Amino acid sequence: MKDLTRGSKAAGSAPDSDAMLYGMEDSPPYALSVLLALQHILAAFAGIIAVPLVVCNALNLDVAQTSLMVSATIFAAGITTFIQSKGIGPVGARVPGMMGTDFTFVNPTINVGSQFGIAGIVGATIAGSLVEVVLSRFIKPLMRFFPPLITGTVVALIGITLMPVGMDWAAGGTGAADYGSLRNLGVAGLVLMITLVLNYFGKGIVKASAVFFGMVAGYLICIPLGMVNLDAVAQASWFALPNLFTYGIHFDLASTLAFVPAYIVSAIGTVGIMIAIGQASHAEVSSKRIGNGVLADGVGSAIAGVFGAGPNTAFSQNVGLITLTKVASRRVMMLAGILLVVLGLFPKLSALISIMPSPVLGGTGIILFGLIAAQGVKTLSTVEICDRELLIISVAFALGIGVTVRPEMLSHLPTALQMIFSSGISTGTLVALLLNIVLVKKDNHGTA
């Protein structure tokens, strides 16, 4: 199979605008690598810290406990990102994959925490992680059910289901008093334009780091507009060393079972994201590597539990960055993991990033999420789409997007089913897989 992971071209060959600047095994110059790593962190940081903030608020934890959990979450995300990207033995897909905790785990975490406190959350996180460890060993035989028709549908759904998040960010964030204000939309639009211009017209480091420069410009613009509150930075401590089992550990069968559906959803999502990373990187990601990526989810979640953080899973936001920058270097993501660990040790630095105004994130998020969806559409364009394929795509899209924009439709389902189907990605993936099996492909004579 032809190696498509490098951007270098033979002498006299025509330029390829779709070629990668740096493939998975390539190493950009150090200065560029740092910028690219920071760019990945900025794109994912809001998602990484959002879950512990929501959980701590729901459980009425004090400032010290909240700060400790947020720092532990960032620290654990850094360790797992490094493991996923570098690979340690069979753990890690060895792809540029950003890791962090996900909203899939919010409800079970709050339910367990309200009964057994942080010790119960830690116990359920560690015990439940065994679900993904076991599931990871069955990914390889299941990958035959993921032809381009399914992978294209799944990747497109990842981007499409993230779009409402990007739009909410651009408007100021869900629940913001000035949601949809001209100021918020103006900042988001400006960041979007700066990022597009730098990426399309820029060259070298400017082109590759367009998202970083766009977000920094947006951040600076927001300061004189009164959209940046530095109080959180002032209150944050300079240094905080994560401790093992700070609040103890409590194992409970019911608590562990409450986490099982969320871990299943996490495994499904990670499979889709590993496929999406491979497509964005112009590289083949084998079923074995995808299984190892799911294993990194499980091992990373256990590590996160030890430090008092929630379960870890692959982040989809960063796939769009690979498509936009044409940089798929896993060494860049390894550096991002190291920097996240550092940020977890220095809360004041992480607080400086966490107060970034939502419209700044929205301006770049719209581009990145749109690119993920476009990557899926590009894969579907290689598939011969007849009536059967059209039915599979349309129903998977309809239900995946439907539960994303109307999650209340699931309110009367059992809790376990709500967790599985509340994710548009898992819903669309399961529907597409099922229909691809049930709707047997017909031959030229119309027989199954």
Side-chain angles (χ1 to χ4, degrees):
M1 183 174 181
K2 184 180 178 180
D3 182 11
L4 298 175
T5 61
R6 290 184 177 270
S8 58
K9 309 201 68 66
S13 61
D16 183 2
S17 61
D18 199 38
M20 301 301 295
L21 292 175
Y22 297 97
M24 285 191 185
E25 303 304 323
D26 295 336
S27 298
Y30 182 74
L32 177 58
S33 294
V34 172
L35 284 179
L36 292 170
L38 287 172
Q39 189 167 244
H40 276 289
I41 290 172
L42 291 177
F45 203 79
I48 292 173
I49 66 171
V51 173
L53 289 176
V54 170
V55 169
C56 290
N57 182 63
L59 297 178
N60 295 314
L61 300 183
D62 59 34
V63 175
Q65 290 174 312
T66 300
S67 177
L68 194 62
M69 183 175 282
V70 170
S71 294
T73 300
I74 298 168
F75 185 81
I79 293 176
T80 313
T81 296
F82 183 85
I83 292 173
Q84 184 71 276
S85 303
K86 178 177 175 55
I88 298 177
V91 185
R94 291 175 169 82
V95 301
M98 176 66 74
M99 306 291 286
T101 192
D102 184 76
F103 271 96
T104 305
F105 294 95
V106 166
N107 286 336
T109 300
I110 293 174
N111 292 336
V112 172
S114 62
Q115 296 182 61
F116 303 107
I118 297 178
I121 295 173
V122 170
T125 297
I126 294 174
S129 66
L130 292 174
V131 172
E132 281 201 276
V133 172
V134 173
L135 284 175
S136 70
R137 301 302 87 188
F138 294 93
I139 299 298
K140 186 175 181 178
L142 292 175
M143 286 309 296
R144 67 188 182 90
F145 295 106
F146 284 84
L149 171 66
I150 304 302
T151 59
T153 301
V154 171
V155 173
L157 270 173
I158 291 173
I160 292 170
T161 55
L162 282 172
M163 287 178 187
V165 176
M167 298 304 285
D168 276 335
W169 284 347
T174 305
D178 60 345
Y179 186 91
S181 68
L182 185 60
R183 182 178 68 172
N184 288 340
L185 297 180
V187 169
L190 191 58
V191 171
L192 186 150
M193 290 304 300
I194 291 173
T195 304
L196 284 177
V197 169
L198 291 179
N199 181 263
Y200 191 77
F201 295 104
K203 296 185 182 298
I205 194 169
V206 173
K207 179 181 178 67
S209 306
V211 172
F212 175 81
F213 291 125
M215 294 179 84
V216 169
Y219 196 115
L220 295 176
I221 290 169
C222 287
I223 294 176
L225 293 177
M227 298 173 68
V228 178
N229 187 343
L230 295 172
D231 289 346
V233 179
Q235 295 171 9
S237 57
W238 280 104
F239 182 79
L241 186 66
N243 297 313
L244 305 181
F245 303 114
T246 303
Y247 297 102
I249 184 171
H250 173 80
F251 288 109
D252 176 78
L253 180 59
S255 298
T256 301
L257 291 176
F259 272 61
V260 170
Y263 273 115
I264 293 173
V265 172
S266 175
I268 294 171
T270 295
V271 170
I273 292 165
M274 293 295 109
I275 292 170
I277 290 174
Q279 293 183 357
S281 305
H282 297 185
E284 183 179 355
V285 179
S286 67
S287 56
K288 181 179 179 180
R289 289 172 72 178
I290 293 174
N292 291 344
V294 175
L295 180 59
D297 268 23
V299 173
S301 294
I303 293 173
V306 168
F307 288 105
N312 268 236
T313 189
F315 266 35
S316 52
Q317 294 95 316
N318 299 81
V319 180
L321 268 176
I322 298 173
T323 304
L324 183 70
T325 62
K326 306 299 181 188
V327 177
S329 171
R330 60 191 182 95
R331 296 187 187 183
V332 167
M333 197 63 79
M334 288 160 55
L335 180 57
I338 294 171
L339 292 177
L340 277 172
V341 169
V342 173
L343 289 173
L345 295 174
F346 296 93
K348 204 173 280 289
L349 293 177
S350 58
L352 194 62
I353 298 176
S354 68
I355 61 173
M356 181 176 296
S358 290
V360 176
L361 293 169
T364 54
I366 290 171
I367 301 173
L368 299 181
F369 303 158
L371 282 170
I372 299 172
Q375 187 69 46
V377 172
K378 183 178 178 181
T379 299
L380 289 175
S381 69
T382 65
V383 178
E384 182 181 355
I385 299 179
C386 299
D387 289 347
R388 171 184 178 273
E389 289 73 21
L390 199 60
L391 281 173
I392 294 172
I393 295 169
S394 60
V395 176
F397 274 17
L399 293 178
I401 297 169
V403 299
T404 299
V405 299
R406 288 290 181 269
E408 60 272 16
M409 69 180 290
L410 306 172
S411 58
H412 295 294
L413 292 179
T415 302
L417 290 179
Q418 284 188 42
M419 287 186 194
I420 293 173
F421 292 111
S422 63
S423 165
I425 298 171
S426 61
T427 298
T429 300
L430 290 173
V431 169
L433 286 171
L434 181 61
L435 291 179
N436 192 44
I437 295 171
V438 173
L439 302 179
V440 181
K441 197 166 186 176
K442 298 178 180 179
D443 58 27
N444 294 333
H445 303 286
T447 58

